[in-house]
Amino acid sequence: MATQTESELSVEVLAIRFRSEQSSFAVLLAHSEEVGDLVLTGPLAYVHEGEELIVRGRLREHPRYGERFEVRYVAHPEPTSERAVLAALAAVRHIGPRGAERLYRRYGERTITEIDADPASRLRELPGIGRKRLAEAVASWSELRAQRALRMFLAEHGLSAAVAARIQRAWGERSIAQLQADPYALVDLPGIGFATADALALALGLPADAPGRIDAALLHALSRAELSGHCYLPRQALERDALALLTFGAEQEAGAPALWESAAADISERVSALIASGRLVAPTAAGEGAIYAREMYEIEQRLAACVRALAAAPPALCVDRRGAESVAAGPQLSEQQWRAIERALCNRLSILTGGPGTGKTASMRALVAIAGELDAPVRLCAPTGKAARRLAAASGERATTIHRLLEWQPGAGFARNREQPLEDVGVLIVDEASMLSVRLAEALFAAVGEGTHVLLIGDSDQLPAIGPGRVLEDMIESGRIPVTRLQKIFRQARRSLIVRAAHAIREGRAPERVPESTDEEVRRDFFFLTRAREQELATEAIELACRRLPARYDLDPLRDVLVLAPMRRGAVGIEALNAELRERLNPAGEAIAGSELRVGDRVIQTRNDHEHELMNGEIAILAAYDREHSRAHLQLEDGRTLTLPFAALATIEPAYAISIHKAQGSQAPAVVVVLARSQRLMLTRNLLYTAVTRAERLCVLLAQGGALELALSRRDARRRYTALAETIAGSA
């Protein structure tokens, strides 16, 4: 019977039903003297038939596959029975079942000990093993023993088997030595947080007040702040966050206030020590007692220096408006649009910003045409693959991601940099510049060659970048860069209620409701609906996405309708909406064991995968899965078909509903935006503005009473700590 109580069982593995070497996930049939035969699931791909294990976990009822024992911890007692020893030997390369039996007949219960004492001599005794095979067999034996030793080491200190798989892939046979020397190095591995590393460090005997432990907490607090968009933290906030990491759970202990007071004093002392050693930087001009990790401080300083130098450099293409108009020979542009073009031609760095329908795209097209007539080669780029493809469609010119422009090489970084700048580029146009993080912007500006003019195009009222910084806003606020802000909404755009709603939201006003009987010529492409309870919101969103909008507007519910929500959790969170939408749109999709995906799912990539050219935020349909070769086939929105190994699916998740942040830089024919009062921490004006402007043909804003007003009342609920504007201006 399924249970929430964790239990420990001694088991013998009877059969392997499924395993994926890439993800370490496996489904095993095992036998336990306590409960009989049972199915084990978890990070057990390295296990072989006949092995004896001690597993800890819970019995759970899977809705499709029945009762399973979900393994969290694994211990590997030294094999003692004949079956277990044979299984361990058969797993070694070039030994196999027959070689295992031969060795066991010779050495019996001492077989493992004999091989450990001299692997080369013992394995050489097997017929058919020459010099090359012997070396491979010895290496295989060492690797398997190292895997077992690592899992035993971690199990002794309370760490899960899933962690073991990640560590083994990263560090191999060096794993135990690395963990003993610096357990906090675990934090650098994907999917392992400070709490796991700290638990191991304390289990290894590191004192709670050890300087190394406090240093690790401080550096991790800054790294975590970067995920929230900050380049630095005020000293008080940094010390508070580190204290929370170091005293987690201390409120359950007697004497907690004394513990906090002591830890706070130690933390303050270590901040000063890290500043003195140069690992942290405290620039006095940044204000608020700013504390940076050294790497981030140097990135921000280099970016500011590049921007100042480019803004001050003499132009290479200076053409006034009269000359530009004569060259353009045709485009009908407003005064503001011509001003933007003139600034782009007469300044090495300029910015063009404005809301939807104000003519940013028309201005960009005219600039491309003028630069072409002037024989100034133009390159167009954007931070994401989605944004680059939209830019190419809007301009009629080739556009790439910034990573491709700078010739990103996995493991080596950008090939284009200060030493090897971009060549033969007269005008560089960067679209969706609001999505630039400090790191990406620094890499881009470092590679700008002599004579290149750079135009940043973006909407500063949208959400800032997912990464650290608020580059576009900071550059505008610095006052050092010519900025053209397009404000006039063109007549055709004014007909769209989506455009009207976006501009109203940007100004903090509720979207207008145009009566059906009005004589005004409008495109009824925006609707605002309210519901009282969250469950009603969820039901309405699912009905709209799956049935009503597709039926009325001839849309494909799987490809054309996108549901957006601010948060992952809750009744109208992304996870709940995804589950319900999937059951409506893909109920019979074949489950891919070891992942949360099904064949037929709409999915989204959550990290940049340069190796497979699948970028963060790209959406696709998981069209097929080859179980024999563990490969998935994806159909992307731009028409590409990609084949991915199973391991690459670890960064892909269902995308029937996605976060508004993930939707940055992309659009969908129809968008349903869901807002609830319980999401108040995320509800801001620029979040709502970004959501509405993702719609191409139709937008439905579905809100709980009071949620819209809450969002409109706050332009941005969370300040980002960055000193880029002041540094560019020369005041920091």
Side-chain angles (χ1 to χ4, degrees):
M1 173 180 281
T3 176
Q4 296 300 312
T5 305
E6 194 168 86
S7 58
E8 185 172 284
L9 300 173
S10 296
V11 301
E12 180 183 353
V13 178
L14 302 179
I16 312 295
R17 289 187 173 176
F18 170 84
R19 75 169 149 214
S20 168
E21 299 294 345
Q22 296 94 333
S23 71
S24 301
F25 179 85
V27 180
L28 313 178
L29 178 63
H31 179 78
S32 165
E33 293 295 334
E34 297 99 321
V35 299
D37 290 352
L38 73 165
V39 175
L40 307 180
T41 64
L44 302 163
Y46 64 95
V47 172
H48 295 272
E49 292 180 13
E51 285 201 67
E52 296 170 343
L53 310 172
I54 297 173
V55 296
R56 195 187 314 158
R58 291 185 176 90
L59 278 171
R60 293 277 178 84
E61 187 72 28
H62 190 282
R64 187 167 182 175
Y65 298 109
E67 193 173 71
R68 296 171 156 209
F69 190 87
E70 295 181 354
V71 176
R72 293 184 62 242
Y73 297 94
V74 185
H76 294 263
E78 197 68 29
T80 54
S81 70
E82 178 179 352
R83 179 179 169 86
V85 172
L86 291 175
L89 293 174
V92 180
R93 194 173 183 189
H94 301 311
I95 290 184
R98 297 178 67 179
E101 289 178 6
R102 182 184 292 267
L103 286 169
Y104 190 80
R105 283 199 303 269
R106 179 169 298 180
Y107 297 107
E109 295 179 358
R110 296 182 296 104
T111 304
I112 300 294
T113 304
E114 288 286 336
I115 298 176
D116 274 342
D118 191 350
S121 296
R122 297 290 79 81
L123 298 181
R124 190 184 292 117
E125 297 171 4
L126 295 174
I129 291 193
R131 181 179 300 175
K132 181 180 179 182
R133 283 194 164 195
L134 178 63
E136 291 174 346
V138 170
S140 176
W141 175 264
S142 298
E143 181 181 350
L144 290 171
R145 295 297 279 172
Q147 287 181 10
R148 293 173 184 276
L150 172 62
R151 284 172 169 81
M152 290 178 69
F153 174 82
L154 293 174
E156 288 171 5
H157 297 96
L159 271 70
S160 75
V163 173
R166 298 188 195 108
I167 295 170
Q168 182 71 31
R169 282 196 296 269
W171 296 330
E173 294 184 22
R174 300 182 296 106
S175 297
I176 293 178
Q178 175 69 54
L179 291 172
Q180 290 173 327
D182 181 13
Y184 292 103
L186 277 172
V187 176
D188 296 329
L189 302 184
I192 302 179
F194 178 85
T196 299
D198 195 45
L200 176 60
L202 294 174
L204 289 172
L206 188 72
D209 60 351
R213 179 172 183 252
I214 299 172
D215 292 354
L218 287 163
L219 294 170
H220 182 67
L222 282 171
S223 177
R224 194 167 61 176
E226 187 177 320
L227 296 177
S228 297
H230 303 303
C231 295
Y232 70 83
L233 282 177
R235 180 165 181 157
Q236 185 177 4
L238 172 60
E239 293 182 359
R240 180 197 63 222
D241 289 355
L243 180 64
L245 290 170
L246 294 169
T247 60
F248 178 73
E251 65 274 9
Q252 306 297 327
E253 302 177 7
L259 172 64
W260 290 332
E261 185 177 340
S262 173
D266 291 339
I267 290 169
S268 183
E269 181 180 324
R270 290 311 305 166
V271 170
S272 298
L274 289 171
I275 292 170
S277 70
R279 295 179 70 186
L280 298 182
V281 179
T284 55
E288 297 187 87
I291 306 293
Y292 285 82
R294 173 158 290 280
E295 181 192 24
M296 179 53 67
Y297 175 74
E298 291 176 349
I299 288 172
E300 192 178 75
Q301 290 291 310
R302 288 197 300 267
L303 173 58
C306 285
V307 169
R308 283 199 307 268
L310 194 61
L317 295 171
C318 194
V319 178
D320 61 18
R321 173 173 169 175
R322 183 176 301 174
E325 285 180 311
S326 63
V327 170
Q332 299 297 312
L333 302 177
S334 70
E335 181 70 26
Q336 282 185 326
Q337 289 174 304
W338 277 117
R339 189 178 302 122
I341 292 171
E342 188 174 14
R343 284 172 173 165
L345 294 171
C346 294
N347 295 275
R348 291 283 304 284
L349 176 61
S350 61
I351 295 172
L352 173 60
T353 186
T358 56
K360 296 192 300 295
T361 299
S363 304
M364 180 264 296
R365 286 178 182 151
L367 177 60
V368 169
I370 292 167
E373 293 294 327
L374 296 174
D375 293 325
V378 178
R379 295 293 299 273
L380 294 92
C381 65
T384 68
K386 298 178 300 180
R389 282 187 285 279
R390 284 182 58 207
L391 176 60
S395 66
E397 302 287 331
R398 180 173 178 268
T400 68
T401 63
I402 294 173
H403 279 79
R404 176 163 288 186
L405 175 76
L406 302 182
E407 301 173 21
W408 169 264
Q409 299 171 358
F414 294 110
R416 294 294 178 180
N417 47 42
R418 283 177 178 77
E419 290 70 36
Q420 297 291 328
L422 295 166
E423 299 172 345
D424 195 28
V425 181
V427 177
L428 177 62
I429 297 175
V430 185
D431 198 20
E432 295 287 358
S434 64
M435 299 177 68
L436 283 172
S437 69
V438 169
R439 291 180 182 276
L440 186 57
E442 189 273 331
L444 176 65
F445 278 89
V448 173
E450 291 187 14
T452 298
H453 285 228
V454 178
L455 173 64
L456 302 180
I457 302 177
D459 189 342
S460 58
D461 292 307
Q462 288 190 20
L463 288 169
I466 292 176
R470 50 197 288 276
V471 173
L472 182 63
E473 289 182 88
D474 280 348
M475 291 175 69
I476 292 172
E477 290 178 11
S478 73
R480 286 291 196 100
I481 302 155
V483 178
T484 304
R485 188 181 295 274
L486 301 180
Q487 296 174 317
K488 177 184 176 183
I489 305 174
F490 286 87
R491 181 180 177 184
Q492 184 175 0
R494 279 202 306 271
R495 297 172 182 167
S496 168
L497 293 182
I498 291 177
V499 172
R500 291 189 186 186
H503 283 272
I505 291 166
R506 182 171 62 84
E507 296 166 5
R509 296 183 289 107
E512 63 182 312
R513 297 176 185 262
V514 180
E516 290 287 344
S517 59
T518 183
D519 293 331
E520 187 177 1
E521 185 181 358
V522 295
R523 238 180 15 252
R524 298 184 182 281
D525 51 11
F526 177 85
F527 299 92
F528 174 40
L529 307 176
T530 58
R531 295 293 181 268
R533 292 185 291 274
E534 289 193 2
Q535 192 52 56
E536 293 174 347
L537 288 177
T539 301
E540 187 74 12
I542 291 159
E543 277 297 301
L544 284 166
C546 298
R547 186 180 63 83
R548 288 164 54 190
L549 297 185
R552 182 170 178 179
Y553 296 95
D554 191 25
L555 299 168
D556 181 340
L558 197 60
R559 289 175 167 81
D560 297 337
V561 184
L562 186 59
V563 178
L564 300 179
M567 301 175 71
R568 296 189 66 86
R569 309 292 184 187
V572 288
I574 296 156
E575 293 175 358
L577 290 170
N578 258 322
E580 291 295 329
L581 289 165
R582 172 196 260 174
E583 288 308 307
R584 288 284 295 270
L585 298 176
N586 187 29
E590 177 192 355
I592 299 176
S595 80
E596 61 176 326
L597 304 175
R598 298 178 186 173
V599 174
D601 274 346
R602 184 181 196 176
V603 296
I604 186 169
Q605 172 71 352
T606 60
R607 293 183 186 175
N608 285 337
D609 182 348
H610 299 286
E611 180 182 354
H612 299 104
E613 296 188 354
L614 187 62
M615 298 296 106
N616 186 5
E618 290 202 86
I619 292 175
I621 302 297
L622 205 166
Y625 185 70
D626 180 349
R627 282 190 291 178
E628 182 179 353
H629 299 98
S630 297
R631 293 184 300 197
H633 303 285
L634 268 60
Q635 294 176 352
L636 278 81
E637 291 180 317
D638 62 359
R640 290 181 297 153
T641 299
L642 290 182
T643 299
L644 302 178
F646 179 88
L649 298 183
T651 56
I652 291 176
E653 60 186 40
Y656 302 93
I658 65 173
S659 73
I660 297 168
H661 282 85
K662 281 292 182 188
Q664 284 180 271
S666 66
Q667 285 189 304
V671 167
V672 178
V673 184
V674 187
L675 304 181
R677 290 193 302 271
S678 62
Q679 302 161 336
R680 61 178 58 85
L681 292 177
M682 294 291 292
L683 297 182
T684 63
R685 198 184 304 174
N686 53 1
L687 180 109
L688 179 56
Y689 176 82
T690 301
V692 169
T693 54
R694 300 310 91 199
E696 293 175 340
R697 292 166 45 194
L698 180 68
C699 178
V700 179
L701 175 57
L702 184 59
Q704 190 178 21
L708 175 63
E709 292 75 13
L710 184 59
L712 293 173
S713 69
R714 299 184 296 175
R715 186 179 183 277
D716 191 348
R718 186 176 58 197
R719 175 186 174 186
R720 291 192 169 200
Y721 293 113
T722 161
L724 182 62
E726 296 86 350
T727 308
I728 293 173
S731 58

